[in-house]
Amino acid sequence: MTADTDLLEELLRIAAAAGTQVDVAPDAVAARARWSGAPLVVVGADQAAGCVHARLPRRQRVVLAGCGPAPGFASAESLGAEYVLRLPEAEEWLLRRFGALFGDGSGRVIAVLGGRGGAGASVLAGALAVTAARDGRRALLVDGDPFGGGIELMFGWEQVDGLRWPALASTEGALDPVALVRSLPARGDLVMVSFDRGAPLSLPPAAMAAVLDAGRRARDVVVVDLPRRLDDAAVAALQGADHTLLVVPAELRATAAAGQVAKAVALHCASASVVVRGPAPGKLSAAEVAEAVGFPLAGLLESEPGLVRSLERGDAPASGGRGPLASLCRRVLADVFASSSSAVAA
């Protein structure tokens, strides 16, 4: 609540960094209807006297903030504010406060891996994250394949500033979700953890678990791209995922190979399904592939002319929002969120 444009700009910037949506009111009259129900109220120093004069009811979790000289403690006492902040010096404190309120651990984690080499799992993982962000969901894309060349190459993000796995691999305990998201390469609502082009890195399972846990608390969707040869970190990701997608080309040998991968995957995850990738040179149907693999069918990814060429140019998969890949991703995301809602209701 503030009419101070400089303060409002600071508060909106901090809220955006924390992934928090805020309601803005210029004065006590506009704020009255939302005053008691808001999980946190930040009152600008310019509105403290107006709040007292309007006789807004006393409540907890009120912060008095201002730019320049710190707001007076007398104003804070009259208002019933628990904290008095001066920005931008107190930015980190407020950032963590926003993150603690709104990082509720409700994000969905989707693991993706291929039934054989070159199945297209990384493309599907990237497209899921892109589609989620396009639809207004805060997305985290996690590269879990140390020999995949770095998923950031698919996006053309090599020069985007932020931490990569080498800086996070030593993590053992819990990560601050807001701090993690702020430290990663990002564009819009999409952030990414990727390997770089340095020496191959054996990723500890504790680091993978910590990143996924922080991502679940800070993002709406976490998509993790995994190798088909499961290492300890991949197992940790499967165990922490809400749903796993196995990408299988509609070919006989690919289906046979995917059946073996499916047996390993089934040991570590509670929910998995198959995405069948066309074309089918031997006329295998998607239902036949899914039946042979032993997982339900999540969808058929039809051939998409020009996709490989666009990826080579550094265009993120499904970035245009059209075509078979984008359509499949929207269906998969809708199914994952629908099943999550059903589980919560149950």
Side-chain angles (χ1 to χ4, degrees):
M1 183 200 312
T2 182
D4 183 333
T5 56
D6 291 336
L7 176 60
L8 180 59
E9 183 177 345
E10 282 288 303
L11 292 172
L12 291 178
R13 181 180 60 80
I14 295 169
T20 299
Q21 293 184 342
V22 296
D23 289 329
V24 178
D27 53 38
V29 173
R32 184 179 293 277
R34 290 164 283 175
W35 174 265
S36 298
L40 177 71
V41 176
V42 181
V43 178
D46 60 302
Q47 295 301 313
C51 282
V52 175
H53 181 72
R55 298 184 181 274
L56 293 176
R58 289 280 183 134
R59 54 156 292 158
Q60 296 180 325
R61 296 185 298 279
V62 174
V63 175
L64 181 61
C67 295
F73 285 98
S75 297
E77 185 176 359
S78 300
L79 185 63
E82 296 176 347
Y83 301 96
V84 179
L85 308 182
R86 174 180 173 176
L87 297 174
E89 289 84 350
E91 174 180 339
E92 286 295 326
W93 184 93
L94 188 55
L95 184 71
R96 294 176 189 278
R97 188 77 176 190
F98 279 153
L101 280 169
F102 296 93
D104 61 357
S106 64
R108 302 294 92 192
V109 178
I110 305 170
V112 185
L113 72 165
R116 70 152 167 81
S122 295
V123 173
L124 178 60
L128 284 167
V130 167
T131 302
R134 280 181 58 88
D135 291 346
R137 293 187 172 107
R138 301 166 300 166
L140 167 62
L141 176 59
V142 179
D143 185 355
D145 187 353
F147 295 98
I151 204 169
E152 65 184 11
L153 286 173
M154 187 190 303
F155 287 71
W157 283 27
E158 307 95 296
Q159 304 305 317
V160 179
D161 291 336
L163 298 182
R164 270 68 175 176
W165 269 124
L168 298 167
S170 61
T171 300
E172 294 184 355
L175 288 169
D176 183 305
V178 175
L180 174 67
V181 169
R182 292 188 76 202
S183 70
L184 298 176
R187 284 180 178 166
D189 281 333
L190 176 60
V191 296
M192 181 188 301
V193 181
S194 178
F195 290 95
D196 58 17
R197 257 66 55 209
L201 176 66
S202 179
L203 192 60
M208 174 64 79
V211 167
L212 294 187
D213 178 66
R216 187 189 289 276
R217 287 182 284 146
R219 305 273 92 182
D220 301 312
V221 182
V222 180
V223 183
V224 54
D225 177 33
L226 298 177
R228 67 191 183 97
R229 296 181 181 272
L230 301 179
D231 55 17
D232 290 342
V235 169
L238 289 173
Q239 292 172 342
D242 296 288
H243 191 76
T244 298
L245 296 171
L246 183 63
V247 184
V248 185
E251 303 166 7
L252 182 60
R253 287 191 64 196
T255 301
Q260 296 300 107
V261 176
K263 292 175 184 176
V265 168
L267 297 174
H268 306 292
C269 67
S271 175
S273 58
V274 172
V275 170
V276 178
R277 198 194 82 197
K283 306 303 181 182
L284 273 175
S285 71
E288 288 172 329
V289 173
E291 182 179 2
V293 170
F295 286 162
L297 179 64
L300 171 65
L301 178 55
E302 299 175 356
S303 178
E304 188 165 334
L307 176 60
V308 173
R309 187 167 55 252
S310 67
L311 292 175
E312 289 291 332
R313 293 197 304 264
D315 297 333
S319 57
R322 297 182 299 276
L325 180 58
S327 297
L328 173 65
C329 289
R330 284 192 290 269
R331 291 197 302 272
V332 167
L333 288 168
D335 289 344
V336 169
F337 276 87
S339 62
S340 299
S341 299
S342 299
V344 170

